[in-house]
Amino acid sequence: MRKLIERQKVGPVISGVEILGAVLIAGVLELLQAQILPGFLQPKWSLVFVLYIGWYSSAVKAAFCGTIFGLLEDFLLGLFFGLNGLSRTVLGYFVSWLSRWVATEGGIIRAACIAAFALLETFIILALLSILGTKLPAFVWWQELVKSIVTGIVGELVFRFYNAVRLPPSDFRQM
């Protein structure tokens, strides 16, 4: 029987100041895009930051950040308080656990994973809304599919940008 090898987390150590900055940036971007873009083209900024934190930190930190980011989005957008908080907590924890076993260090695979997590979050939220008795329009799945693809593309760009800022390439010629 083959033994699974756990992948070591590589990447930047994410500090509390960076998390606070990400919360502020996500809040501002969520409010601005709500005024400018149509709903189906609005990426889920706070989800992207939760996925980034989950990918490069512990499961507890990712779950806690998922709760904070989700509750912030619920508050800012006037949604049922706690739906995004619950879904982002679960996804933050799951992504942190998954990052130990899966290597997606860029390109279309990471964008597809981010889009899949955005779609999974949508499924969780819509399932909770249907349990609460909310009637959902039939076209909501198409809108959320497009939004998940946009989130995947934007998420890949955020991951690349922040990794480039935090982990600049090393010049080994000077050693």
Side-chain angles (χ1 to χ4, degrees):
M1 191 152 117
R2 293 173 63 184
K3 189 177 190 181
L4 290 175
I5 299 173
E6 188 173 330
R7 186 175 78 85
Q8 295 292 326
K9 289 194 179 222
V10 293
V13 176
I14 300 169
S15 69
V17 173
E18 291 171 307
I19 292 172
L20 181 62
V23 167
L24 293 174
I25 290 170
V28 168
L29 289 174
E30 296 279 348
L31 288 175
L32 286 176
Q33 77 182 7
Q35 303 297 322
I36 299 170
L37 296 172
F40 65 94
L41 289 179
Q42 296 176 4
K44 300 177 181 183
W45 289 101
S46 59
L47 176 65
V48 169
F49 291 126
V50 168
L51 294 177
Y52 187 88
I53 293 167
W55 201 260
Y56 293 112
S57 64
S58 70
V60 173
K61 184 186 274 188
F64 178 73
C65 289
T67 303
I68 298 300
F69 279 86
L71 291 176
L72 174 72
E73 186 168 335
D74 288 338
F75 176 73
L76 290 177
L77 300 180
L79 304 172
F80 279 115
F81 199 67
L83 289 180
N84 281 311
L86 176 65
S87 66
R88 303 249 165 102
T89 301
V90 170
L91 285 177
Y93 185 87
F94 179 69
V95 165
S96 180
W97 175 81
L98 187 68
S99 70
R100 295 181 304 171
W101 304 102
V102 176
T104 59
E105 296 306 324
I108 196 161
I109 293 174
R110 186 164 53 200
C113 286
I114 294 170
F117 286 126
L119 202 56
L120 178 61
E121 183 199 33
T122 297
F123 176 75
I124 293 169
I125 290 173
L126 293 179
L128 290 172
L129 284 173
S130 67
I131 289 171
L132 293 173
T134 303
K135 299 289 183 193
L136 302 170
F139 61 87
V140 74
W141 284 107
W142 291 107
Q143 287 181 343
E144 292 300 324
L145 179 64
V146 171
K147 186 186 272 192
S148 296
I149 292 169
V150 170
T151 301
I153 294 167
V154 167
E156 170 59 22
L157 295 174
V158 167
F159 271 59
R160 281 181 187 252
F161 173 76
Y162 199 62
N163 282 342
V165 168
R166 295 279 297 167
L167 299 169
S170 299
D171 187 10
F172 292 111
R173 293 179 295 184
Q174 298 186 11
M175 291 182 85

